[in-house]
Amino acid sequence: MEALTWQGEQDVRVNEVPRPEIVEPTDAILEITATAICGSDLHLYNGYMPAMEEGDVIGHEPMGEVIEVGSEVERLEVGDRVVVPFTISCGSCWFCEEDMYSLCDESNPNAEMAREEMGHSPAGLFGFSHMLGGFDGGQAEYLRVPYADVGPVKIDSGLSDEEVLFLSDIFPTGYMAAENADIEDGDTVAVWGCGPVGQFAIQSAWMLGADRVIAIDRIPERLDMASYHGDADIVNYENDDVYDRLMDMTRGRGPDRCIDAVGTEAHGTGLTGVTDRVKQGAKLQDDRPYVLREAIQCCRKGGTLSVPGVYLGRANVPFGALMNKAITVKTGQTHVQRYLDPLLEKIEDGEIDPSFVVTHEGSLSDAPDLYEKFNEKEDGCIKAVLTP
Ligand code: NAD
Ligand code: ZN
């Protein structure tokens, strides 16, 4: 079959690879009908993700049709149309039973590698580092889905692929980010990053009762989407000092809830005021935890900082500011399975049509070009969907 493979920094290629087969009796095999490129894929693409190997099949936002099931699969049948969460979860360990699926204790066969780095291992992920299992990903014609009774959600209704595909990751991720922000009536929520995750964090902040949403980015099309679709007030960090603007907008108090939907690859703004403020303390390489530090500086005292943005290794965080300002921090990979049914219901009820983020479509062979566009934020690319 054809699949998109990782070959090194900014080098992804479509290759012929063996078609996946049932390995465990709890597996299912899917024929992929749609699969998206995610901001998390850019960490691999840009070479920040440890333990990648040449030829790894990437991608973790897939959906498709079940074409084969293992002998112990009970919930799925051949012919079912499903969306697959990016997190692989066993469904029966202590963490899964507590609804913390992205912390599954059983699904990462390379847990030892993760333990060395982090003390414990999170769940295995599709199409990611070998430290998180090295599972083949879903930017391919076919996909093996482990623990097929736990992850995939069946789509029976007449909804299109693009309306439901983002249940695999970015809609639940934006939603959990907003939920983690502990939004209360009257709150102002600031969202750094108007990529796909930021867009869904904005939508979800409204669903969870925000009084005002402020979106921060520098890419005009993304800010436009946040304003037009997300009804957010916008701040372009290239034109404005983010700290000053946010203080102006909140009478000096700062946003009650701050969401970092950017992560490890944040750009520095280059503005002197901001740089001085957020570059305090020792610097991490290339100033990468830039948004994290800016959000901590801006957040109101006693507020909440929610971090869906992915960080790798160490991030240089001003812990003193967090402590003295009594800021609550919540973060994590998304417990996707927890949100599938309630968010599918919102789509079915017409409360939201997640396909508003899609700007680019193509076949698998277009993937290298679409990765480049998405990475460079060129050509108005906000979310690209591949149809193998
Ligand atoms: P993206 O790369 O499309 O979006 C990031 C956005 O941040 C871009 O629009 C960029 O212009 C903006 N940005 C960069 N520097 C900034 C700054 N200094 N201030 C404000 N904005 C800035 O990615 P995405 O798909 O939206 O994903 C965002 C993050 O969420 C990534 O780190 C991704 O890995 C992570 N993610 C986490 C989970 C999870 O389970 N927690 C799931 C999916 C994605
Ligand atoms: Zn993703």
Side-chain angles (χ1 to χ4, degrees), residues 74-332:
E74 289 173 357
R75 272 190 56 246
L76 296 186
E77 285 173 24
V78 170
D80 282 345
R81 183 179 173 227
V82 293
V83 176
V84 181
F86 75 96
T87 41
I88 300 172
S89 313
C90 77
S92 48
C93 71
W94 188 86
F95 290 92
C96 286
E97 300 237 296
E98 295 286 318
D99 258 10
M100 294 189 277
Y101 295 94
S102 72
L103 302 175
C104 174
D105 243 348
E106 296 297 327
S107 64
N108 180 4
N110 300 335
E112 200 46 50
M113 264 164 95
R115 271 188 222 116
E116 266 173 39
E117 173 81 15
M118 297 182 258
H120 297 91
S121 173
L125 303 182
F126 285 106
F128 242 67
S129 160
H130 285 260
M131 195 192 290
L132 299 173
F135 291 93
D136 281 345
Q139 287 163 3
E141 290 181 279
Y142 299 92
L143 175 71
R144 175 173 85 93
V145 180
Y147 302 109
D149 275 340
V150 184
V153 60
K154 275 194 254 187
I155 310 291
D156 304 315
S157 47
L159 295 165
S160 70
D161 279 11
E162 285 186 359
E163 285 171 289
V164 291
L165 177 62
F166 305 130
L167 288 170
S168 58
D169 180 346
I170 55 172
F171 185 15
T173 294
Y175 195 85
M176 184 166 120
E179 209 175 65
N180 274 347
D182 297 331
I183 298 166
E184 292 175 11
D185 281 351
D187 276 351
T188 294
V189 180
V191 179
W192 274 257
C194 298
V197 170
Q199 300 292 341
F200 283 103
I202 293 166
Q203 300 283 335
S204 305
W206 290 120
M207 290 174 188
L208 291 166
D211 195 47
R212 181 182 197 183
V213 180
I214 304 171
I216 304 148
D217 206 303
R218 76 184 166 95
I219 312 290
E221 305 87 54
R222 292 176 178 227
L223 287 165
D224 285 349
M225 187 180 270
S227 165
Y228 178 72
H229 279 284
D231 210 13
D233 296 332
I234 55 177
V235 176
N236 184 328
Y237 70 80
E238 254 177 359
N239 304 336
D240 279 314
D241 180 309
V242 175
Y243 180 89
D244 288 348
R245 283 287 288 135
L246 290 180
M247 294 314 126
D248 283 349
M249 293 164 107
T250 57
R251 283 184 268 156
R253 220 196 280 166
D256 306 284
R257 317 291 164 193
C258 294
I259 298 178
D260 170 359
V262 182
T264 200
E265 283 157 86
H267 310 120
T269 63
L271 291 173
T272 8
V274 177
T275 356
D276 288 340
R277 240 175 243 120
V278 300
K279 282 191 177 171
Q280 293 159 355
K283 288 198 284 184
L284 181 90
Q285 2 60 316
D286 306 335
D287 304 315
R288 288 243 157 66
Y290 208 95
V291 164
L292 204 49
R293 294 214 293 274
E294 190 166 81
I296 292 167
Q297 297 291 317
C298 293
C299 188
R300 84 140 154 81
K301 292 182 276 183
T304 312
L305 170 61
S306 162
V307 186
V310 164
Y311 285 87
L312 305 159
R314 289 174 201 175
N316 175 14
V317 178
F319 204 87
L322 279 179
M323 190 275 164
N324 286 293
K325 289 174 71 176
I327 293 171
T328 301
V329 181
K330 291 194 185 174
T331 184

